[in-house]
Amino acid sequence: MGSRANGAICRTDLRTGEGAVLHEGGTGLAYIGLKLDDDGLLYVAWRREDHRLAHR
């Protein structure tokens, strides 16, 4: 899950409810798109103070 409030990214097992923080985020940072590919790579689209970038 990605946070649009501070850019944190969390990994959660929906069966058990257990999870972990993958990235703590920061002020002015927002993750607006997440995609997991078939190889397990997480693609992240983020926004920071009017800048946008897709990062792998």
mmCIF file of all heavy atoms in Angstrom:
data_model
loop_
_atom_site.group_PDB
_atom_site.id
_atom_site.type_symbol
_atom_site.label_atom_id
_atom_site.label_comp_id
_atom_site.label_asym_id
_atom_site.label_seq_id
_atom_site.Cartn_x
_atom_site.Cartn_y
_atom_site.Cartn_z
ATOM 1 N N MET A 1 0.841 -1.177 0.000
ATOM 2 C CA MET A 1 0.000 0.000 0.000
ATOM 3 C C MET A 1 0.879 1.229 0.000
ATOM 4 O O MET A 1 1.919 1.239 0.643
ATOM 5 C CB MET A 1 -0.872 0.017 1.245
ATOM 6 C CG MET A 1 -1.911 -1.080 1.291
ATOM 7 S SD MET A 1 -2.880 -1.009 2.788
ATOM 8 C CE MET A 1 -1.832 -2.011 3.833
ATOM 9 N N GLY A 2 0.454 2.258 -0.685
ATOM 10 C CA GLY A 2 1.186 3.511 -0.716
ATOM 11 C C GLY A 2 0.355 4.625 -0.108
ATOM 12 O O GLY A 2 -0.861 4.644 -0.227
ATOM 13 N N SER A 3 1.029 5.554 0.552
ATOM 14 C CA SER A 3 0.346 6.662 1.199
ATOM 15 C C SER A 3 0.421 7.911 0.336
ATOM 16 O O SER A 3 1.506 8.311 -0.091
ATOM 17 C CB SER A 3 0.992 6.950 2.557
ATOM 18 O OG SER A 3 0.488 8.148 3.096
ATOM 19 N N ARG A 4 -0.718 8.529 0.110
ATOM 20 C CA ARG A 4 -0.720 9.813 -0.581
ATOM 21 C C ARG A 4 -0.496 10.946 0.403
ATOM 22 O O ARG A 4 -0.295 12.075 0.013
ATOM 23 C CB ARG A 4 -2.028 10.015 -1.340
ATOM 24 C CG ARG A 4 -2.143 9.030 -2.497
ATOM 25 C CD ARG A 4 -3.280 9.342 -3.409
ATOM 26 N NE ARG A 4 -4.545 9.358 -2.696
ATOM 27 C CZ ARG A 4 -5.695 9.671 -3.237
ATOM 28 N NH1 ARG A 4 -5.752 9.981 -4.497
ATOM 29 N NH2 ARG A 4 -6.795 9.660 -2.533
ATOM 30 N N ALA A 5 -0.507 10.653 1.694
ATOM 31 C CA ALA A 5 -0.297 11.685 2.712
ATOM 32 C C ALA A 5 1.185 11.980 2.933
ATOM 33 O O ALA A 5 1.584 13.140 3.025
ATOM 34 C CB ALA A 5 -0.939 11.262 4.026
ATOM 35 N N ASN A 6 2.034 10.943 3.029
ATOM 36 C CA ASN A 6 3.451 11.179 3.310
ATOM 37 C C ASN A 6 4.396 10.300 2.496
ATOM 38 O O ASN A 6 5.595 10.326 2.705
ATOM 39 C CB ASN A 6 3.744 10.999 4.792
ATOM 40 C CG ASN A 6 3.649 9.564 5.238
ATOM 41 O OD1 ASN A 6 3.272 8.677 4.485
ATOM 42 N ND2 ASN A 6 4.000 9.321 6.480
ATOM 43 N N GLY A 7 3.879 9.480 1.594
ATOM 44 C CA GLY A 7 4.727 8.674 0.735
ATOM 45 C C GLY A 7 5.214 7.369 1.321
ATOM 46 O O GLY A 7 6.088 6.727 0.769
ATOM 47 N N ALA A 8 4.665 6.943 2.445
ATOM 48 C CA ALA A 8 5.067 5.668 3.031
ATOM 49 C C ALA A 8 4.561 4.513 2.163
ATOM 50 O O ALA A 8 3.504 4.601 1.557
ATOM 51 C CB ALA A 8 4.520 5.521 4.445
ATOM 52 N N ILE A 9 5.344 3.434 2.109
ATOM 53 C CA ILE A 9 4.925 2.221 1.400
ATOM 54 C C ILE A 9 4.968 1.069 2.393
ATOM 55 O O ILE A 9 5.990 0.841 3.043
ATOM 56 C CB ILE A 9 5.848 1.899 0.207
ATOM 57 C CG1 ILE A 9 5.785 3.016 -0.823
ATOM 58 C CG2 ILE A 9 5.446 0.575 -0.434
ATOM 59 C CD1 ILE A 9 6.703 2.806 -1.996
ATOM 60 N N CYS A 10 3.855 0.353 2.508
ATOM 61 C CA CYS A 10 3.749 -0.774 3.430
ATOM 62 C C CYS A 10 3.446 -2.052 2.667
ATOM 63 O O CYS A 10 2.743 -2.030 1.670
ATOM 64 C CB CYS A 10 2.629 -0.530 4.439
ATOM 65 S SG CYS A 10 2.878 0.919 5.446
ATOM 66 N N ARG A 11 3.991 -3.141 3.172
ATOM 67 C CA ARG A 11 3.685 -4.468 2.628
ATOM 68 C C ARG A 11 2.831 -5.172 3.668
ATOM 69 O O ARG A 11 3.206 -5.251 4.834
ATOM 70 C CB ARG A 11 4.969 -5.236 2.389
ATOM 71 C CG ARG A 11 4.737 -6.605 1.858
ATOM 72 C CD ARG A 11 6.050 -7.314 1.637
ATOM 73 N NE ARG A 11 5.790 -8.599 1.032
ATOM 74 C CZ ARG A 11 6.638 -9.217 0.245
ATOM 75 N NH1 ARG A 11 7.799 -8.678 -0.012
ATOM 76 N NH2 ARG A 11 6.324 -10.374 -0.275
ATOM 77 N N THR A 12 1.675 -5.697 3.247
ATOM 78 C CA THR A 12 0.740 -6.311 4.183
ATOM 79 C C THR A 12 0.229 -7.634 3.643
ATOM 80 O O THR A 12 -0.109 -7.747 2.475
ATOM 81 C CB THR A 12 -0.463 -5.375 4.432
ATOM 82 O OG1 THR A 12 0.025 -4.101 4.865
ATOM 83 C CG2 THR A 12 -1.396 -5.931 5.480
ATOM 84 N N ASP A 13 0.175 -8.645 4.504
ATOM 85 C CA ASP A 13 -0.440 -9.929 4.181
ATOM 86 C C ASP A 13 -1.908 -9.823 4.569
ATOM 87 O O ASP A 13 -2.235 -9.731 5.758
ATOM 88 C CB ASP A 13 0.239 -11.061 4.949
ATOM 89 C CG ASP A 13 -0.279 -12.431 4.560
ATOM 90 O OD1 ASP A 13 -1.491 -12.555 4.252
ATOM 91 O OD2 ASP A 13 0.517 -13.377 4.588
ATOM 92 N N LEU A 14 -2.796 -9.814 3.603
ATOM 93 C CA LEU A 14 -4.216 -9.623 3.888
ATOM 94 C C LEU A 14 -4.840 -10.802 4.617
ATOM 95 O O LEU A 14 -5.875 -10.650 5.263
ATOM 96 C CB LEU A 14 -4.978 -9.342 2.589
ATOM 97 C CG LEU A 14 -4.543 -8.070 1.853
ATOM 98 C CD1 LEU A 14 -5.316 -7.936 0.556
ATOM 99 C CD2 LEU A 14 -4.735 -6.855 2.733
ATOM 100 N N ARG A 15 -4.210 -11.963 4.554
ATOM 101 C CA ARG A 15 -4.735 -13.127 5.277
ATOM 102 C C ARG A 15 -4.462 -13.036 6.772
ATOM 103 O O ARG A 15 -5.308 -13.372 7.587
ATOM 104 C CB ARG A 15 -4.142 -14.413 4.727
ATOM 105 C CG ARG A 15 -4.591 -14.729 3.309
ATOM 106 C CD ARG A 15 -3.819 -15.879 2.744
ATOM 107 N NE ARG A 15 -2.438 -15.388 2.567
ATOM 108 C CZ ARG A 15 -1.394 -16.129 2.282
ATOM 109 N NH1 ARG A 15 -1.531 -17.422 2.135
ATOM 110 N NH2 ARG A 15 -0.208 -15.602 2.110
ATOM 111 N N THR A 16 -3.257 -12.578 7.136
ATOM 112 C CA THR A 16 -2.868 -12.560 8.551
ATOM 113 C C THR A 16 -2.951 -11.177 9.177
ATOM 114 O O THR A 16 -2.984 -11.058 10.398
ATOM 115 C CB THR A 16 -1.422 -13.063 8.716
ATOM 116 O OG1 THR A 16 -0.537 -12.144 8.075
ATOM 117 C CG2 THR A 16 -1.258 -14.455 8.142
ATOM 118 N N GLY A 17 -2.930 -10.138 8.347
ATOM 119 C CA GLY A 17 -2.918 -8.776 8.865
ATOM 120 C C GLY A 17 -1.523 -8.290 9.237
ATOM 121 O O GLY A 17 -1.345 -7.151 9.639
ATOM 122 N N GLU A 18 -0.528 -9.153 9.099
ATOM 123 C CA GLU A 18 0.837 -8.762 9.420
ATOM 124 C C GLU A 18 1.418 -7.940 8.279
ATOM 125 O O GLU A 18 1.106 -8.162 7.119
ATOM 126 C CB GLU A 18 1.703 -9.998 9.651
ATOM 127 C CG GLU A 18 1.295 -10.787 10.865
ATOM 128 C CD GLU A 18 2.180 -12.002 11.083
ATOM 129 O OE1 GLU A 18 3.269 -12.075 10.470
ATOM 130 O OE2 GLU A 18 1.783 -12.867 11.867
ATOM 131 N N GLY A 19 2.286 -6.999 8.644
ATOM 132 C CA GLY A 19 2.869 -6.165 7.621
ATOM 133 C C GLY A 19 4.163 -5.533 8.069
ATOM 134 O O GLY A 19 4.583 -5.685 9.209
ATOM 135 N N ALA A 20 4.782 -4.829 7.142
ATOM 136 C CA ALA A 20 6.032 -4.139 7.408
ATOM 137 C C ALA A 20 6.101 -2.889 6.542
ATOM 138 O O ALA A 20 5.502 -2.826 5.472
ATOM 139 C CB ALA A 20 7.212 -5.045 7.080
ATOM 140 N N VAL A 21 6.835 -1.911 7.019
ATOM 141 C CA VAL A 21 7.046 -0.679 6.268
ATOM 142 C C VAL A 21 8.235 -0.886 5.338
ATOM 143 O O VAL A 21 9.326 -1.238 5.783
ATOM 144 C CB VAL A 21 7.300 0.508 7.220
ATOM 145 C CG1 VAL A 21 7.616 1.766 6.431
ATOM 146 C CG2 VAL A 21 6.101 0.725 8.131
ATOM 147 N N LEU A 22 8.030 -0.685 4.027
ATOM 148 C CA LEU A 22 9.112 -0.792 3.054
ATOM 149 C C LEU A 22 9.841 0.536 2.878
ATOM 150 O O LEU A 22 11.029 0.573 2.611
ATOM 151 C CB LEU A 22 8.577 -1.252 1.697
ATOM 152 C CG LEU A 22 7.916 -2.629 1.656
ATOM 153 C CD1 LEU A 22 7.399 -2.915 0.262
ATOM 154 C CD2 LEU A 22 8.888 -3.705 2.099
ATOM 155 N N HIS A 23 9.093 1.637 2.987
ATOM 156 C CA HIS A 23 9.666 2.985 2.870
ATOM 157 C C HIS A 23 8.861 3.901 3.776
ATOM 158 O O HIS A 23 7.642 3.932 3.700
ATOM 159 C CB HIS A 23 9.594 3.455 1.414
ATOM 160 C CG HIS A 23 10.262 4.761 1.179
ATOM 161 N ND1 HIS A 23 9.643 5.954 1.391
ATOM 162 C CD2 HIS A 23 11.525 5.059 0.768
ATOM 163 C CE1 HIS A 23 10.462 6.938 1.107
ATOM 164 N NE2 HIS A 23 11.623 6.414 0.716
ATOM 165 N N GLU A 24 9.521 4.652 4.643
ATOM 166 C CA GLU A 24 8.822 5.485 5.618
ATOM 167 C C GLU A 24 8.234 6.762 5.044
ATOM 168 O O GLU A 24 7.404 7.393 5.673
ATOM 169 C CB GLU A 24 9.757 5.809 6.777
ATOM 170 C CG GLU A 24 10.096 4.582 7.589
ATOM 171 C CD GLU A 24 10.895 4.914 8.828
ATOM 172 O OE1 GLU A 24 10.971 6.105 9.196
ATOM 173 O OE2 GLU A 24 11.421 3.983 9.423
ATOM 174 N N GLY A 25 8.673 7.155 3.855
ATOM 175 C CA GLY A 25 8.127 8.360 3.246
ATOM 176 C C GLY A 25 8.743 9.613 3.838
ATOM 177 O O GLY A 25 9.765 9.569 4.509
ATOM 178 N N GLY A 26 8.095 10.748 3.589
ATOM 179 C CA GLY A 26 8.594 12.020 4.085
ATOM 180 C C GLY A 26 7.653 13.147 3.729
ATOM 181 O O GLY A 26 6.705 12.985 2.964
ATOM 182 N N THR A 27 7.929 14.306 4.269
ATOM 183 C CA THR A 27 7.102 15.482 4.047
ATOM 184 C C THR A 27 7.111 15.874 2.570
ATOM 185 O O THR A 27 8.164 15.935 1.955
ATOM 186 C CB THR A 27 7.623 16.655 4.892
ATOM 187 O OG1 THR A 27 7.637 16.258 6.257
ATOM 188 C CG2 THR A 27 6.749 17.881 4.725
ATOM 189 N N GLY A 28 5.933 16.102 2.021
ATOM 190 C CA GLY A 28 5.800 16.539 0.641
ATOM 191 C C GLY A 28 5.915 15.444 -0.396
ATOM 192 O O GLY A 28 5.943 15.717 -1.581
ATOM 193 N N LEU A 29 5.987 14.187 0.028
ATOM 194 C CA LEU A 29 6.146 13.061 -0.884
ATOM 195 C C LEU A 29 4.856 12.252 -0.924
ATOM 196 O O LEU A 29 4.259 11.985 0.112
ATOM 197 C CB LEU A 29 7.294 12.175 -0.399
ATOM 198 C CG LEU A 29 7.733 11.020 -1.280
ATOM 199 C CD1 LEU A 29 8.216 11.530 -2.627
ATOM 200 C CD2 LEU A 29 8.841 10.253 -0.583
ATOM 201 N N ALA A 30 4.411 11.878 -2.113
ATOM 202 C CA ALA A 30 3.182 11.089 -2.252
ATOM 203 C C ALA A 30 3.373 10.024 -3.323
ATOM 204 O O ALA A 30 3.814 10.328 -4.429
ATOM 205 C CB ALA A 30 2.003 11.975 -2.623
ATOM 206 N N TYR A 31 3.088 8.773 -2.973
ATOM 207 C CA TYR A 31 3.097 7.694 -3.959
ATOM 208 C C TYR A 31 1.694 7.564 -4.505
ATOM 209 O O TYR A 31 0.749 7.350 -3.765
ATOM 210 C CB TYR A 31 3.569 6.390 -3.336
ATOM 211 C CG TYR A 31 5.034 6.435 -3.013
ATOM 212 C CD1 TYR A 31 5.492 6.421 -1.718
ATOM 213 C CD2 TYR A 31 5.961 6.532 -4.038
ATOM 214 C CE1 TYR A 31 6.842 6.500 -1.433
ATOM 215 C CE2 TYR A 31 7.311 6.608 -3.774
ATOM 216 C CZ TYR A 31 7.748 6.589 -2.468
ATOM 217 O OH TYR A 31 9.075 6.676 -2.197
ATOM 218 N N ILE A 32 1.562 7.721 -5.805
ATOM 219 C CA ILE A 32 0.235 7.779 -6.411
ATOM 220 C C ILE A 32 -0.074 6.588 -7.295
ATOM 221 O O ILE A 32 -1.173 6.464 -7.796
ATOM 222 C CB ILE A 32 0.059 9.094 -7.194
ATOM 223 C CG1 ILE A 32 1.174 9.263 -8.221
ATOM 224 C CG2 ILE A 32 0.021 10.275 -6.253
ATOM 225 C CD1 ILE A 32 1.039 10.467 -9.108
ATOM 226 N N GLY A 33 0.890 5.704 -7.480
ATOM 227 C CA GLY A 33 0.654 4.512 -8.280
ATOM 228 C C GLY A 33 1.643 3.424 -7.936
ATOM 229 O O GLY A 33 2.833 3.687 -7.822
ATOM 230 N N LEU A 34 1.164 2.211 -7.723
ATOM 231 C CA LEU A 34 2.008 1.063 -7.417
ATOM 232 C C LEU A 34 1.626 -0.087 -8.335
ATOM 233 O O LEU A 34 0.448 -0.321 -8.582
ATOM 234 C CB LEU A 34 1.825 0.609 -5.966
ATOM 235 C CG LEU A 34 2.121 1.613 -4.875
ATOM 236 C CD1 LEU A 34 1.710 1.041 -3.523
ATOM 237 C CD2 LEU A 34 3.591 1.962 -4.859
ATOM 238 N N LYS A 35 2.639 -0.809 -8.841
ATOM 239 C CA LYS A 35 2.358 -1.982 -9.660
ATOM 240 C C LYS A 35 3.429 -3.031 -9.390
ATOM 241 O O LYS A 35 4.622 -2.733 -9.416
ATOM 242 C CB LYS A 35 2.357 -1.627 -11.148
ATOM 243 C CG LYS A 35 2.054 -2.826 -12.017
ATOM 244 C CD LYS A 35 2.029 -2.474 -13.483
ATOM 245 C CE LYS A 35 1.724 -3.723 -14.296
ATOM 246 N NZ LYS A 35 1.662 -3.435 -15.706
ATOM 247 N N LEU A 36 3.003 -4.248 -9.133
ATOM 248 C CA LEU A 36 3.910 -5.369 -8.925
ATOM 249 C C LEU A 36 3.888 -6.215 -10.189
ATOM 250 O O LEU A 36 2.828 -6.664 -10.622
ATOM 251 C CB LEU A 36 3.452 -6.196 -7.722
ATOM 252 C CG LEU A 36 4.387 -7.288 -7.241
ATOM 253 C CD1 LEU A 36 5.695 -6.695 -6.762
ATOM 254 C CD2 LEU A 36 3.725 -8.078 -6.122
ATOM 255 N N ASP A 37 5.067 -6.428 -10.809
ATOM 256 C CA ASP A 37 5.087 -7.201 -12.046
ATOM 257 C C ASP A 37 5.244 -8.694 -11.750
ATOM 258 O O ASP A 37 5.349 -9.115 -10.609
ATOM 259 C CB ASP A 37 6.151 -6.684 -13.021
ATOM 260 C CG ASP A 37 7.565 -7.045 -12.641
ATOM 261 O OD1 ASP A 37 7.778 -7.730 -11.622
ATOM 262 O OD2 ASP A 37 8.487 -6.660 -13.379
ATOM 263 N N ASP A 38 5.278 -9.493 -12.802
ATOM 264 C CA ASP A 38 5.349 -10.954 -12.668
ATOM 265 C C ASP A 38 6.651 -11.439 -12.041
ATOM 266 O O ASP A 38 6.723 -12.539 -11.509
ATOM 267 C CB ASP A 38 5.166 -11.628 -14.029
ATOM 268 C CG ASP A 38 3.767 -11.416 -14.587
ATOM 269 O OD1 ASP A 38 2.842 -11.204 -13.780
ATOM 270 O OD2 ASP A 38 3.607 -11.462 -15.811
ATOM 271 N N ASP A 39 7.705 -10.621 -12.106
ATOM 272 C CA ASP A 39 8.996 -10.982 -11.521
ATOM 273 C C ASP A 39 9.147 -10.497 -10.079
ATOM 274 O O ASP A 39 10.199 -10.665 -9.470
ATOM 275 C CB ASP A 39 10.138 -10.417 -12.358
ATOM 276 C CG ASP A 39 10.208 -11.060 -13.739
ATOM 277 O OD1 ASP A 39 9.912 -12.271 -13.831
ATOM 278 O OD2 ASP A 39 10.553 -10.376 -14.700
ATOM 279 N N GLY A 40 8.115 -9.847 -9.546
ATOM 280 C CA GLY A 40 8.166 -9.369 -8.170
ATOM 281 C C GLY A 40 8.750 -7.975 -8.006
ATOM 282 O O GLY A 40 8.991 -7.540 -6.885
ATOM 283 N N LEU A 41 8.975 -7.264 -9.130
ATOM 284 C CA LEU A 41 9.464 -5.893 -9.042
ATOM 285 C C LEU A 41 8.307 -4.949 -8.758
ATOM 286 O O LEU A 41 7.239 -5.052 -9.360
ATOM 287 C CB LEU A 41 10.147 -5.474 -10.344
ATOM 288 C CG LEU A 41 11.451 -6.182 -10.682
ATOM 289 C CD1 LEU A 41 11.918 -5.766 -12.071
ATOM 290 C CD2 LEU A 41 12.521 -5.868 -9.649
ATOM 291 N N LEU A 42 8.526 -4.027 -7.839
ATOM 292 C CA LEU A 42 7.509 -3.039 -7.501
ATOM 293 C C LEU A 42 7.826 -1.742 -8.242
ATOM 294 O O LEU A 42 8.899 -1.170 -8.073
ATOM 295 C CB LEU A 42 7.491 -2.780 -5.989
ATOM 296 C CG LEU A 42 6.498 -1.740 -5.500
ATOM 297 C CD1 LEU A 42 5.064 -2.185 -5.771
ATOM 298 C CD2 LEU A 42 6.712 -1.471 -4.025
ATOM 299 N N TYR A 43 6.892 -1.297 -9.083
ATOM 300 C CA TYR A 43 7.022 -0.034 -9.794
ATOM 301 C C TYR A 43 6.224 1.012 -9.037
ATOM 302 O O TYR A 43 5.082 0.766 -8.636
ATOM 303 C CB TYR A 43 6.494 -0.162 -11.223
ATOM 304 C CG TYR A 43 7.361 -1.052 -12.084
ATOM 305 C CD1 TYR A 43 7.200 -2.431 -12.068
ATOM 306 C CD2 TYR A 43 8.344 -0.502 -12.878
ATOM 307 C CE1 TYR A 43 8.010 -3.249 -12.845
ATOM 308 C CE2 TYR A 43 9.155 -1.310 -13.666
ATOM 309 C CZ TYR A 43 8.981 -2.682 -13.638
ATOM 310 O OH TYR A 43 9.786 -3.488 -14.403
ATOM 311 N N VAL A 44 6.833 2.179 -8.863
ATOM 312 C CA VAL A 44 6.222 3.227 -8.047
ATOM 313 C C VAL A 44 6.184 4.530 -8.838
ATOM 314 O O VAL A 44 7.204 4.962 -9.376
ATOM 315 C CB VAL A 44 7.038 3.447 -6.749
ATOM 316 C CG1 VAL A 44 6.442 4.571 -5.923
ATOM 317 C CG2 VAL A 44 7.131 2.165 -5.939
ATOM 318 N N ALA A 45 5.010 5.159 -8.908
ATOM 319 C CA ALA A 45 4.884 6.507 -9.462
ATOM 320 C C ALA A 45 4.701 7.438 -8.270
ATOM 321 O O ALA A 45 3.860 7.201 -7.411
ATOM 322 C CB ALA A 45 3.686 6.601 -10.402
ATOM 323 N N TRP A 46 5.532 8.479 -8.199
ATOM 324 C CA TRP A 46 5.461 9.366 -7.045
ATOM 325 C C TRP A 46 5.417 10.823 -7.463
ATOM 326 O O TRP A 46 5.742 11.177 -8.577
ATOM 327 C CB TRP A 46 6.627 9.119 -6.097
ATOM 328 C CG TRP A 46 8.010 9.278 -6.664
ATOM 329 C CD1 TRP A 46 8.727 8.319 -7.316
ATOM 330 C CD2 TRP A 46 8.826 10.440 -6.647
ATOM 331 N NE1 TRP A 46 9.949 8.827 -7.696
ATOM 332 C CE2 TRP A 46 10.040 10.126 -7.282
ATOM 333 C CE3 TRP A 46 8.656 11.724 -6.144
ATOM 334 C CZ2 TRP A 46 11.062 11.041 -7.436
ATOM 335 C CZ3 TRP A 46 9.683 12.633 -6.289
ATOM 336 C CH2 TRP A 46 10.871 12.283 -6.923
ATOM 337 N N ARG A 47 5.000 11.631 -6.517
ATOM 338 C CA ARG A 47 4.895 13.074 -6.746
ATOM 339 C C ARG A 47 5.515 13.790 -5.544
ATOM 340 O O ARG A 47 5.307 13.419 -4.407
ATOM 341 C CB ARG A 47 3.438 13.479 -6.890
ATOM 342 C CG ARG A 47 3.257 14.966 -7.143
ATOM 343 C CD ARG A 47 1.806 15.329 -7.236
ATOM 344 N NE ARG A 47 1.227 15.218 -5.902
ATOM 345 C CZ ARG A 47 -0.013 14.858 -5.667
ATOM 346 N NH1 ARG A 47 -0.815 14.549 -6.647
ATOM 347 N NH2 ARG A 47 -0.466 14.791 -4.446
ATOM 348 N N ARG A 48 6.295 14.806 -5.831
ATOM 349 C CA ARG A 48 6.874 15.627 -4.771
ATOM 350 C C ARG A 48 6.891 17.077 -5.236
ATOM 351 O O ARG A 48 7.563 17.412 -6.203
ATOM 352 C CB ARG A 48 8.280 15.175 -4.442
ATOM 353 C CG ARG A 48 8.890 16.001 -3.355
ATOM 354 C CD ARG A 48 10.290 15.521 -2.997
ATOM 355 N NE ARG A 48 10.622 16.107 -1.726
ATOM 356 C CZ ARG A 48 11.156 15.450 -0.731
ATOM 357 N NH1 ARG A 48 11.470 14.188 -0.869
ATOM 358 N NH2 ARG A 48 11.396 16.039 0.396
ATOM 359 N N GLU A 49 6.150 17.909 -4.557
ATOM 360 C CA GLU A 49 6.131 19.357 -4.815
ATOM 361 C C GLU A 49 6.110 19.683 -6.295
ATOM 362 O O GLU A 49 7.041 20.281 -6.827
ATOM 363 C CB GLU A 49 7.326 20.008 -4.143
ATOM 364 C CG GLU A 49 7.340 19.852 -2.654
ATOM 365 C CD GLU A 49 8.587 20.449 -2.015
ATOM 366 O OE1 GLU A 49 9.347 21.153 -2.726
ATOM 367 O OE2 GLU A 49 8.797 20.215 -0.837
ATOM 368 N N ASP A 50 5.082 19.254 -6.991
ATOM 369 C CA ASP A 50 4.861 19.527 -8.419
ATOM 370 C C ASP A 50 5.828 18.806 -9.353
ATOM 371 O O ASP A 50 5.888 19.110 -10.529
ATOM 372 C CB ASP A 50 4.882 21.022 -8.721
ATOM 373 C CG ASP A 50 3.762 21.746 -8.017
ATOM 374 O OD1 ASP A 50 2.709 21.141 -7.805
ATOM 375 O OD2 ASP A 50 3.946 22.932 -7.685
ATOM 376 N N HIS A 51 6.618 17.856 -8.853
ATOM 377 C CA HIS A 51 7.482 17.032 -9.699
ATOM 378 C C HIS A 51 6.910 15.633 -9.723
ATOM 379 O O HIS A 51 6.466 15.126 -8.713
ATOM 380 C CB HIS A 51 8.918 16.992 -9.159
ATOM 381 C CG HIS A 51 9.572 18.325 -9.136
ATOM 382 N ND1 HIS A 51 10.026 18.952 -10.272
ATOM 383 C CD2 HIS A 51 9.823 19.165 -8.117
ATOM 384 C CE1 HIS A 51 10.555 20.112 -9.940
ATOM 385 N NE2 HIS A 51 10.448 20.268 -8.632
ATOM 386 N N ARG A 52 6.968 14.975 -10.871
ATOM 387 C CA ARG A 52 6.456 13.620 -10.989
ATOM 388 C C ARG A 52 7.517 12.742 -11.627
ATOM 389 O O ARG A 52 8.214 13.164 -12.534
ATOM 390 C CB ARG A 52 5.185 13.611 -11.833
ATOM 391 C CG ARG A 52 4.035 14.257 -11.109
ATOM 392 C CD ARG A 52 2.805 14.329 -12.006
ATOM 393 N NE ARG A 52 1.696 14.905 -11.307
ATOM 394 C CZ ARG A 52 1.514 16.203 -11.115
ATOM 395 N NH1 ARG A 52 2.401 17.066 -11.565
ATOM 396 N NH2 ARG A 52 0.461 16.639 -10.469
ATOM 397 N N LEU A 53 7.598 11.492 -11.164
ATOM 398 C CA LEU A 53 8.576 10.582 -11.700
ATOM 399 C C LEU A 53 8.095 9.162 -11.472
ATOM 400 O O LEU A 53 7.540 8.848 -10.421
ATOM 401 C CB LEU A 53 9.924 10.758 -10.987
ATOM 402 C CG LEU A 53 11.050 9.819 -11.390
ATOM 403 C CD1 LEU A 53 11.496 10.143 -12.808
ATOM 404 C CD2 LEU A 53 12.212 9.961 -10.427
ATOM 405 N N ALA A 54 8.319 8.309 -12.436
ATOM 406 C CA ALA A 54 8.059 6.877 -12.257
ATOM 407 C C ALA A 54 9.395 6.229 -11.952
ATOM 408 O O ALA A 54 10.381 6.474 -12.643
ATOM 409 C CB ALA A 54 7.437 6.288 -13.510
ATOM 410 N N HIS A 55 9.466 5.450 -10.901
ATOM 411 C CA HIS A 55 10.715 4.837 -10.451
ATOM 412 C C HIS A 55 10.541 3.352 -10.303
ATOM 413 O O HIS A 55 9.486 2.880 -9.910
ATOM 414 C CB HIS A 55 11.119 5.454 -9.101
ATOM 415 C CG HIS A 55 12.460 5.028 -8.657
ATOM 416 N ND1 HIS A 55 12.645 3.986 -7.784
ATOM 417 C CD2 HIS A 55 13.685 5.491 -8.958
ATOM 418 C CE1 HIS A 55 13.937 3.840 -7.565
ATOM 419 N NE2 HIS A 55 14.588 4.726 -8.262
ATOM 420 N N ARG A 56 11.569 2.598 -10.596
ATOM 421 C CA ARG A 56 11.498 1.152 -10.468
ATOM 422 C C ARG A 56 12.476 0.708 -9.410
ATOM 423 O O ARG A 56 13.560 1.155 -9.258
ATOM 424 C CB ARG A 56 11.833 0.505 -11.801
ATOM 425 C CG ARG A 56 11.861 -0.978 -11.752
ATOM 426 C CD ARG A 56 12.075 -1.530 -13.096
ATOM 427 N NE ARG A 56 13.508 -1.563 -13.321
ATOM 428 C CZ ARG A 56 14.078 -2.459 -14.086
ATOM 429 N NH1 ARG A 56 13.360 -3.337 -14.715
ATOM 430 N NH2 ARG A 56 15.354 -2.463 -14.278
#
